[in-house]
Amino acid sequence: MDSMQLVTPAIGLMFWTVVIFLLLLILLKKFAWKPILKAVDDRNNSIKEALSSAEKAKLEMKQLSADNDKILNEARIQRETIIKEARDIKNKTIADAKSKASIEDEKIISSAKEQIKNEKMKAMMELKNEVADISIQMAEKIIKTKLKDAKSQKKLIEEDLKKQMN
């Protein structure tokens, strides 16, 4: 045997190897290739669905975040509106109270001035009546004593004034 014959395959062997290989390919194509491709396609579809679901979830999260921001902004606006209304009410209440107090003060001052005026008038009337009574009493005393000179009349008037003052 030649060493070349050992390395070179026989034509029959090559023929049967090719036939078996083709039969194997046909069998694999008919029975194994479709399930393998179906499994790969199913896997690809599940990955696509997962990516789609993830994208949907991402969009929903963005939407929720935007909604939350919108709600927070609305809450801030409402809070500021409520605070402004409370300040306005407080300022109006203070202004009303000041106005009422001012009116009351004016009434009290006016009433006090009126009372002072009335008391002053009353005191003036009493003083006039008192002066008139003193004048009448002095005139009576002067007439009763029948004084002859002006010196004694003056002395009598001064004494009487001193008594009235005490």
Side-chain angles (χ1 to χ4, degrees), residues 92-108:
K92 185 181 182 304
T93 304
I94 289 172
D96 289 348
K98 284 182 180 178
S99 174
K100 286 180 183 177
S102 176
I103 291 170
E104 282 296 317
D105 285 350
E106 288 177 17
K107 283 182 182 177
I108 291 170

Side-chain angles (χ1 to χ4, degrees), residues 16-129:
W16 286 114
T17 305
V18 169
V19 169
I20 290 175
F21 181 74
L22 288 175
L23 281 174
L24 182 65
L25 277 179
I26 292 171
L27 284 175
L28 283 175
K29 183 178 179 188
K30 186 166 186 170
F31 294 110
W33 192 252
K34 286 182 182 176
I36 289 172
L37 285 180
K38 186 177 183 298
V40 169
D41 283 344
D42 290 346
R43 176 79 175 142
N44 282 341
N45 288 337
S46 69
I47 289 172
K48 284 180 185 177
E49 287 176 11
L51 287 174
S52 175
S53 295
E55 191 63 32
K56 270 186 186 176
K58 185 177 176 183
L59 289 174
E60 287 177 5
M61 288 300 291
K62 282 184 181 178
Q63 183 66 35
L64 286 174
S65 178
D67 289 347
N68 285 344
D69 289 343
K70 183 180 175 184
I71 290 170
L72 284 174
N73 285 335
E74 288 175 3
R76 283 187 194 111
I77 291 169
Q78 285 179 346
R79 181 192 70 192
E80 289 171 8
T81 302
I82 290 170
I83 289 172
K84 183 181 180 294
E85 288 174 358
R87 281 188 193 131
D88 290 347
I89 290 170
K90 177 191 85 167
N91 291 338
K92 185 181 182 304
T93 304
I94 289 172
D96 289 348
K98 284 182 180 178
S99 174
K100 286 180 183 177
S102 176
I103 291 170
E104 282 296 317
D105 285 350
E106 288 177 17
K107 283 182 182 177
I108 291 170
I109 290 170
S110 176
S111 175
K113 284 181 180 178
E114 189 67 32
Q115 283 181 343
I116 290 170
K117 183 179 172 186
N118 289 340
E119 289 295 322
K120 184 177 173 185
M121 294 287 272
K122 186 177 172 184
M124 293 285 280
M125 291 298 287
E126 286 179 7
L127 184 62
K128 284 181 183 179
N129 288 339

